[in-house]
Amino acid sequence: MTVQKENILSLIDKLRNERLLCADEYKELLLCKDTDVLNYLHRQAQEVAVRRFGRRIFIRGLIEISNTCNNNCYYCGLRRENRNIARYRLSHDAILACCREGYLLGFRTFVLQGGEEDRGDGSWYVDLVADIRHRFPDCAITLSLGEKRRSLYQQLYNAGANRYLLRHETHHALHYRQLHPTSMRLEHRLQCLTRLKEIGYQTGTGIMVGSPRQTVDHLVEDILYIKKFQPAMIGIGPFIPHKDTPFAHEPAGSIETTLNLLSIFRLMHPATLIPATTALATLASDGRERGILAGANVVMPNLSPVAHRADYAIYDNKASLGAEAAEGLQLLTNKLAAIGYEIAYERGDYQPASE
Ligand code: 5AD
Ligand code: SF4
C-alpha cells in the first residue's frame, strides 16, 4: 500500500474516532478517487449508522402542499419565472386526506413541503398544523416551507410542528449569489436556521452536491458550518438540471461525491438523521440503496396526491413512483430487504448522542 493511501485511510479512522478533521484533511478526503479508500469510508459510515440505529430505516411521508413559489432560485423548476408549470395548492382537507392515508400505511412523520409563497399572515399554515397535531397526536410534523418570519416559526411550533428542513444550499457568500438572485440573502437563510433551532425545532439543513460553480473548498466550508450548527437532519442530494431554468444545460452533480459527503457527515454526526434523497434515487436506479450503504438512515416516500406529483418538478425526471411512493412501501420493503435492512415505522426523533 502506498504511503498516501495509508495516510488517507488513517484520516478516515481519525474522523470516525474524533468526529473532526481540519479543513485540509476534509479536502483531501473529498478529492480522493481511490475506490478502495472510498469503499472503506462508506463501510465505516454504514457501521456507525448500524451501531446506532440497527439495520433500520425511518420513513417520512412527504406531502408537497404547493408548487407555487415567490423565489427565483436559478436551479429549481418551481422558480417564479418558470411559466411552463401548472401551479397548484392543496387544500387543507386534501392535505389532511394525505395524512390519513399515510397514517394507515404506517407513517408517523408527515413532511409538509412547499414553495416559498406569501400566504398573508401565515395563519393558514398555523391552522393546518394545529389540525394535524389534533388529529394525529402520535405523529411528528416536519415543515419545509422556506424562510419565514420568526413569529410565524414560533406560532407553527406552538401549534405542534416539531421539525423544520431548510437547506442552506452553500455557505459561501459568492457561491450563494451564483445560485440565487440578489433578493435572496445567505445571511437571512442562516439567521432563519439559527432561529428555528432556538425555538426548539429539530432543524435540518443541507446542500446540493455539484451545483453550478461549486468547488471542493465550498464543500469544506459547508462541512465546517454544519459541524458548528449541529443539525438534527442533514439533506444532501446531487444537483439535477431542470430544462426550464437558467441552469438547464449544467451537468448533474456526482453521485460518488454525494455518497462520500454523506459518509463524512455520518462519521461526524452519528446521531443525525440523514436521508437517502429522492435526487439520489432519480440519478441512479440503485441510488437509494447506495445512500443507505454509505450511512443514510431515512427515506422520504411521496404521499402527495398522484395527480399533482408531476407538477412538483424541482428538477427533471424527479422520481415519485415505485419505491419513492408511499403506496409503494411493499416495494421499498423488498428493496431494503435485499440489502439486509427493514423499515422502522416509529417517529424516529433526533436523539443527540449521549455517549
Ligand atoms: N436539483 C437538486 N436539488 C434541487 N433542489 C432544488 N432544485 C434542485 C435541483 N435542480 C433542492 C434544494 C432545495 C430542496 C427542496 O430541493 O436543495 O432546498
Ligand atoms: Fe422556490 Fe425552494 Fe425552488 Fe427556490 S428551491 S425556487 S425557494 S421551491
Side-chain angles (χ1 to χ4, degrees):
M1 201 183 305
T2 63
V3 175
Q4 203 201 0
K5 196 157 163 171
E6 259 176 47
N7 278 348
I8 196 150
L9 286 171
S10 69
L11 275 188
I12 297 171
D13 292 336
K14 178 173 162 194
L15 183 59
R16 178 167 177 177
N17 294 331
E18 298 175 18
R19 300 180 188 173
L20 186 70
L21 296 178
C22 65
D24 286 348
E25 293 171 328
Y26 288 122
K27 187 167 175 177
E28 199 177 335
L29 212 46
L30 285 168
L31 289 172
C32 175
K33 297 270 179 275
D34 185 305
T35 37
D36 293 339
V37 172
L38 297 174
N39 286 339
Y40 183 74
L41 170 68
H42 298 157
R43 230 176 19 253
Q44 294 300 311
Q46 186 199 3
E47 218 175 280
V48 165
V50 169
R51 280 232 173 131
R52 178 163 294 260
F53 301 102
R55 299 177 77 91
R56 305 180 74 242
I57 303 296
F58 294 117
I59 51 168
R60 319 300 198 194
L62 179 65
I63 308 172
E64 295 159 336
I65 66 171
S66 160
N67 69 353
T68 305
C69 190
N70 296 334
N71 282 344
N72 230 349
C73 308
Y74 300 139
Y75 45 83
C76 175
L78 305 190
R79 64 199 305 272
R80 188 180 67 230
E81 282 177 16
N82 181 10
R83 313 248 178 267
N84 286 333
I85 165 177
R87 302 285 175 176
Y88 73 86
R89 277 176 169 180
L90 297 187
S91 68
H92 183 111
D93 289 345
I95 295 166
L96 282 182
C98 293
C99 295
R100 225 170 280 126
E101 185 193 332
Y103 194 88
L104 293 175
L105 288 167
F107 288 91
R108 293 295 177 270
T109 292
F110 304 122
V111 181
L112 310 185
Q113 185 162 80
E116 209 173 293
E117 56 176 329
D118 190 14
R119 291 226 188 190
D121 63 359
S123 56
W124 186 89
Y125 294 114
V126 178
D127 294 344
L128 175 67
V129 168
D131 206 0
I132 298 174
R133 170 54 56 238
H134 174 69
R135 289 167 196 258
F136 303 95
D138 55 334
C139 293
I141 302 173
T142 304
L143 302 178
S144 179
L145 303 170
E147 299 175 23
K148 304 281 179 210
R149 283 174 290 116
R150 188 191 209 284
S151 57
L152 183 53
Y153 284 152
Q154 184 72 59
Q155 284 175 290
L156 291 164
Y157 185 79
N158 296 347
N162 313 94
R163 309 180 188 148
Y164 207 105
L165 303 174
L166 182 66
R167 292 185 182 178
H168 68 283
E169 313 296 358
T170 173
H171 193 260
H172 190 271
L174 173 62
H175 188 219
Y176 196 86
R177 283 273 66 79
Q178 293 171 324
L179 300 179
H180 305 97
T182 47
S183 54
M184 295 177 69
R185 292 192 308 116
L186 174 62
E187 302 77 60
H188 190 252
R189 176 72 54 111
L190 299 178
Q191 192 178 51
C192 284
L193 281 162
T194 304
R195 288 172 174 169
L196 287 162
K197 205 172 168 197
E198 275 168 9
I199 289 170
Y201 283 96
Q202 295 168 47
T203 306
T205 191
I207 60 165
M208 283 174 294
V209 177
S211 59
R213 322 285 174 264
Q214 184 179 67
T215 66
V216 68
D217 290 312
H218 295 154
L219 290 177
V220 171
E221 269 199 50
D222 291 319
I223 291 174
L224 298 177
Y225 166 67
I226 286 178
K227 180 74 192 176
K228 196 162 82 204
F229 186 68
Q230 290 285 314
M233 289 94 68
I234 304 174
I236 34 173
F239 161 75
I240 304 176
H242 184 290
K243 61 180 175 20
D244 298 314
T245 64
F247 290 159
H249 303 295
E250 297 285 344
S254 140
I255 296 180
E256 287 71 27
T257 310
T258 307
L259 296 172
N260 298 344
L261 203 55
L262 197 162
S263 292
I264 290 173
F265 283 132
R266 171 59 68 210
L267 292 176
M268 295 172 71
H269 305 272
T272 304
L273 296 146
I274 306 182
T277 51
T278 302
L280 255 184
T282 298
L283 264 198
S285 56
D286 59 352
R288 184 185 320 97
E289 289 83 348
R290 289 170 70 188
I292 290 166
L293 296 174
N297 71 324
V298 174
V299 293
M300 298 169 67
N302 200 312
L303 250 186
S304 310
V306 175
H308 286 299
R309 282 189 202 164
D311 297 326
Y312 204 88
I314 52 184
Y315 45 79
D316 289 333
N317 306 314
K318 177 167 152 280
S320 63
L321 299 173
E324 283 299 311
E327 66 278 10
L329 276 193
Q330 188 53 50
L331 186 58
L332 178 64
T333 304
N334 299 345
K335 287 187 175 244
L336 292 182
I339 53 168
Y341 281 74
E342 61 181 18
I343 291 176
Y345 283 93
E346 61 267 27
R347 268 174 62 140
D349 285 287
Y350 174 60
Q351 284 160 343
S354 54
E355 72 218 32

